[in-house]
């Protein structure tokens, strides 16, 4: 789902997935139901499919993320560990390499690792879980924007800035960087959608 391998046209059927993975049907069914309860999938007459969010849904999710993520990142900065900072640095280096190789899928994987690392340092586990769930809901945003090399370049620059703010142990700078990143991600997403609509 995070890499875009599963699309809105795919149907996820428990017995088919179980057969492909050579496992029993029940744990697959439970996993699909869990993803449905988290709002990532929706049921159909034949299995499940990715939940399709409306532009209003996306806008409202960005609104919630702007309320939560800057403050969460600020608290993560205050509690950041040496190991966590090193992991963030490694993720940014992997992002740089993927960008240089024009590998959008590897870039998204590295950026996911970067986000998960700082979110993992948020001292409030309930807040961290909520942010992770919202980020997964707007995976379509990342898939739409990070396939564009120009936006990837901006995204990489933003990650470097956020990493530097964390390394400086400057919570206010971290909060500003996350706020700026979210604002620009939203703007880029809407611009991408406008281009797709114009092309059609």
């Amino acid at each position: 789902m995070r890499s875009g391998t599963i699309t809105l046209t795919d149907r996820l059927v428990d017995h088919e997935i179980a057969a492909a993975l050579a496992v029993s049907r029940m744990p697959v069914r439970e996993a699909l139901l869990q993803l449905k309860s988290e709002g990532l999938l929706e049921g159909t007459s034949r299995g499940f499919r990715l939940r399709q969010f409306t532009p209003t849904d996306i806008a409202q999710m960005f609104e919630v993320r702007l309320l939560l993520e800057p403050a969460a990142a600020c608290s993560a900065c205050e509690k950041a560990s040496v190991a966590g900072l090193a992991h963030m640095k490694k993720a940014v280096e992997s992002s740089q390499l993927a960008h240089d190789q024009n590998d959008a899928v590897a870039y998204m994987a590295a950026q996911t690792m970067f986000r998960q690392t700082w979110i993992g340092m948020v001292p409030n586990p309930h807040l961290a879980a909520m942010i992770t769930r919202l980020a997964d809901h707007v995976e379509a945003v990342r898939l739409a924007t990070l396939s564009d090399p120009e936006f990837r370049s901006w995204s990489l620059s933003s990650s470097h800035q956020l990493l530097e703010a964390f390394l400086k142990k400057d919570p206010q700078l971290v909060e500003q960087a996350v706020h700026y990143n979210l604002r620009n991600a939203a703007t880029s997403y809407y611009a991408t959608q406008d281009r797709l609509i114009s092309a059609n």
Side-chain angles (χ1 to χ4, degrees):
M1 290 168 64
R2 285 179 172 162
S3 68
T5 304
I6 299 171
T7 69
L8 290 169
T9 60
D10 291 318
R11 291 293 177 272
L12 305 175
V13 183
D14 54 5
H15 67 83
E16 292 178 357
I17 296 173
L21 297 175
V23 298
S24 63
R25 183 177 178 180
M26 187 56 67
V28 174
R29 179 75 178 174
E30 289 175 354
L32 291 170
L33 287 171
Q34 177 66 29
L35 289 170
K36 182 176 183 290
S37 72
E38 293 176 2
L40 297 170
L41 298 178
E42 56 188 18
T44 71
S45 58
R46 182 176 176 270
F48 300 85
R49 66 181 177 190
L50 293 182
R51 182 177 170 188
Q52 189 162 6
F53 295 103
T54 67
T56 300
D57 289 329
I58 298 293
Q60 291 173 345
M61 281 185 233
F62 269 119
E63 183 180 356
V64 175
R65 290 180 68 193
L66 279 163
L67 291 171
L68 297 180
E69 291 191 28
C74 180
S75 65
C77 178
E78 293 171 344
K79 300 292 184 180
S81 64
V82 172
L85 293 173
H87 203 54
M88 288 176 70
K89 186 173 184 293
K90 182 178 178 182
V92 171
E93 290 170 350
S94 297
S95 298
Q96 181 72 62
L97 179 61
H99 177 65
D100 292 343
Q101 295 175 344
N102 198 30
D103 188 338
V105 173
Y107 183 85
M108 283 186 278
Q111 285 290 293
T112 296
M113 182 172 70
F114 180 72
R115 280 183 51 79
Q116 287 177 338
T117 301
W118 77 252
I119 292 171
M121 293 190 288
V122 174
N124 183 331
H126 303 287
L127 177 58
M130 188 178 299
I131 290 172
T132 297
R133 185 172 299 179
L134 278 171
D136 284 339
H137 283 179
V138 294
E139 195 62 40
V141 174
R142 284 192 286 278
L143 292 172
T145 56
L146 291 177
S147 59
D148 179 356
E150 184 178 345
F151 179 77
R152 269 203 318 274
S153 179
W154 172 86
S155 168
L156 181 60
S157 175
S158 178
S159 295
H160 277 291
Q161 290 173 6
L162 181 55
L163 174 62
E164 178 142 356
F166 264 96
L167 292 174
K168 287 180 178 178
K169 294 276 190 174
D170 188 332
Q172 185 176 5
L173 197 58
V174 165
E175 189 173 7
Q176 290 171 354
V178 172
H179 190 275
Y180 176 76
N181 179 33
L182 284 170
R183 285 287 186 194
N184 278 274
T187 300
S188 297
Y189 173 73
Y190 296 133
T192 299
Q193 296 308 299
D194 287 343
R195 286 198 298 270
L196 291 173
I197 291 169
S198 298
N200 293 329

